[in-house]
Amino acid sequence: MSSHLLIDAGATKTAFTLLTEGAVTLQHVDRGINPNYCTETDILQVFAGFVAICPRETTIAAIDYYGAGCMAPRNAALMGELISRFFPNASIQVYSDLMAVCHALSRGTRSIVAILGTGAASCFFDGTSIVRSAPSLGYMLGDEGSGTFLGKQLLTAYLRGTLPAELASDLERSHELSRDKVIHRLYREPEPNRMMASLAPFVQQHLGHPFMHGLALEAFRTFFATQKSCFQGEDLPWQLSGSVAYHFQDVVREAAVMEECRVDDIVDAPMDKLIDYYKKLS
């Protein structure tokens, strides 16, 4: 009996779902994949983790992979090649992670589709394909409104001394931080984006504080202003996915109104609705 494997890979986590005759028979979550930042060894280890728990009698005939960083053809080709090492007989399709949200939330209608999680991205979806996407500049030059961006703004305020004293003390205590530790982790250790993104929950937990609410609101206003500038003339509803969009959704919607953007759906992750999409196709 052949199965269909769906994979949704973001910067923080990779979700595997195995469909057999339209029913979910296995789900697995591992660490994130982004070929812009991960080594081939790191990526192969994630797939090896899934293969290790997959029943030996399973025959995977088709794989649809949706991944961060896969808008670039070079990265999409790389991911297809790496997946084929484990599943040489499967039909493999590689899409950007934005296409997962398009398939999951757009319901075949024209929309602005965006991801607001560890990173940030958006595109114009015409109901069938991605027509135009906003330039993805990564955490160093872009990713406005993302978890990484929120963490960066928080750390900037902390290091400059503009973070209110009670918040600074709580941050130091809860994350065992000091100025020297922050500088070391950002400039001496690998993947500083993950360190910055790990602070987004701290921002969310303190949204009742006026300073933190203002920090988040400004971050999301910057997100909408920056992204919508790439789709001038397209007055369409926005479909959002991602942990930051979901857990900050009240402030996200507040920022959207201020930037004159119409937000429709907000989901934590697209996998559940992606499963429904493929069940309808089968």
Side-chain angles (χ1 to χ4, degrees), residues 52-66:
I53 66 166
C54 191
R56 290 189 177 184
E57 65 274 13
T58 302
T59 300
I60 297 178
I63 299 173
D64 284 274
Y65 177 91
Y66 297 87

Side-chain angles (χ1 to χ4, degrees), residues 98-113 125-129 236-241 253 262-267 269-270 272-274 276-278 280-281:
L98 276 170
M99 187 59 85
V101 189
C102 293
H103 285 166
L105 299 184
S106 72
R107 294 175 290 276
T109 60
R110 289 158 49 91
S111 306
I112 303 298
V113 174
F125 182 66
D126 69 358
T128 302
S129 58
L236 298 170
W238 288 63
Q239 317 291 346
L240 299 181
S241 177
R253 291 186 183 278
R262 296 183 290 121
V263 173
D264 189 355
D265 285 347
I266 298 179
V267 298
D272 287 345
K273 291 183 179 294
L274 201 58
D276 293 337
Y277 171 81
Y278 279 94
K280 291 176 182 177
L281 292 180

Side-chain angles (χ1 to χ4, degrees), residues 85-96:
R85 296 187 193 181
F86 292 95
F87 308 100
N89 299 317
S91 170
I92 301 169
Q93 295 290 331
V94 177
Y95 304 95
S96 75

Side-chain angles (χ1 to χ4, degrees), residues 182-201:
V182 170
I183 297 299
H184 179 83
R185 291 178 67 179
L186 290 180
Y187 295 102
R188 292 286 196 167
E189 296 184 7
E191 299 183 307
N193 57 317
R194 291 182 185 269
M195 182 267 181
M196 290 186 282
S198 72
L199 298 175

Side-chain angles (χ1 to χ4, degrees), residues 144-145 149 153 215-228 255 259:
E144 294 86 357
F149 187 85
Q153 301 304 102
L215 182 149
L217 182 63
E218 183 60 28
F220 299 134
R221 290 194 67 178
T222 302
F223 164 76
F224 283 111
T226 301
Q227 302 295 312
K228 78 174 185 178
E259 295 299 325

Side-chain angles (χ1 to χ4, degrees), residues 9-266:
T12 301
K13 68 179 181 180
T14 299
F16 296 81
T17 295
L18 195 64
L19 295 176
T20 305
E21 294 188 337
V24 175
T25 53
L26 179 65
Q27 290 190 296
H28 172 68
V29 176
D30 209 316
R31 65 181 182 274
I33 294 174
N34 186 325
N36 287 321
Y37 311 128
C38 298
T39 66
E40 288 191 17
T41 299
D42 292 334
I43 296 169
L44 291 171
Q45 286 176 349
V46 173
F47 287 107
F50 171 77
V51 171
I53 66 166
C54 191
R56 290 189 177 184
E57 65 274 13
T58 302
T59 300
I60 297 178
I63 299 173
D64 284 274
Y65 177 91
Y66 297 87
C70 289
M71 188 72 75
R74 175 177 55 84
N75 286 344
L78 171 64
M79 291 308 306
E81 191 276 322
L82 295 178
I83 295 169
S84 69
R85 296 187 193 181
F86 292 95
F87 308 100
N89 299 317
S91 170
I92 301 169
Q93 295 290 331
V94 177
Y95 304 95
S96 75
D97 51 351
L98 276 170
M99 187 59 85
V101 189
C102 293
H103 285 166
L105 299 184
S106 72
R107 294 175 290 276
T109 60
R110 289 158 49 91
S111 306
I112 303 298
V113 174
I115 293 174
L116 200 50
T118 302
S122 67
C123 68
F124 167 41
F125 182 66
D126 69 358
T128 302
S129 58
I130 293 175
V131 175
R132 187 164 65 256
S133 60
S136 180
L137 304 181
Y139 71 92
M140 293 185 70
L141 298 177
D143 279 350
E144 294 86 357
S146 68
T148 303
F149 187 85
L150 289 169
K152 184 191 299 185
Q153 301 304 102
L154 176 65
L155 289 177
T156 299
Y158 171 68
L159 294 175
R160 287 179 174 167
T162 59
L163 187 67
E166 64 274 21
L167 293 176
S169 296
D170 195 5
L171 180 65
E172 290 172 340
R173 182 175 59 256
S174 61
H175 287 76
E176 298 182 353
L177 291 181
S178 66
R179 178 184 178 86
D180 289 343
K181 286 183 179 179
V182 170
I183 297 299
H184 179 83
R185 291 178 67 179
L186 290 180
Y187 295 102
R188 292 286 196 167
E189 296 184 7
E191 299 183 307
N193 57 317
R194 291 182 185 269
M195 182 267 181
M196 290 186 282
S198 72
L199 298 175
F202 181 88
V203 178
Q204 193 268 334
Q205 292 159 10
H206 293 81
L207 282 177
H209 193 291
F211 180 91
M212 208 65 91
H213 180 271
L215 182 149
L217 182 63
E218 183 60 28
F220 299 134
R221 290 194 67 178
T222 302
F223 164 76
F224 283 111
T226 301
Q227 302 295 312
K228 78 174 185 178
S229 68
C230 301
F231 312 111
Q232 293 180 356
E234 300 293 349
D235 182 21
L236 298 170
W238 288 63
Q239 317 291 346
L240 299 181
S241 177
S243 57
V244 171
Y246 183 77
H247 291 291
F248 287 82
Q249 59 183 284
D250 289 344
V251 189
V252 168
R253 291 186 183 278
E254 182 182 356
V257 170
M258 297 175 77
E259 295 299 325
E260 299 181 338
C261 296
R262 296 183 290 121
V263 173
D264 189 355
D265 285 347
I266 298 179

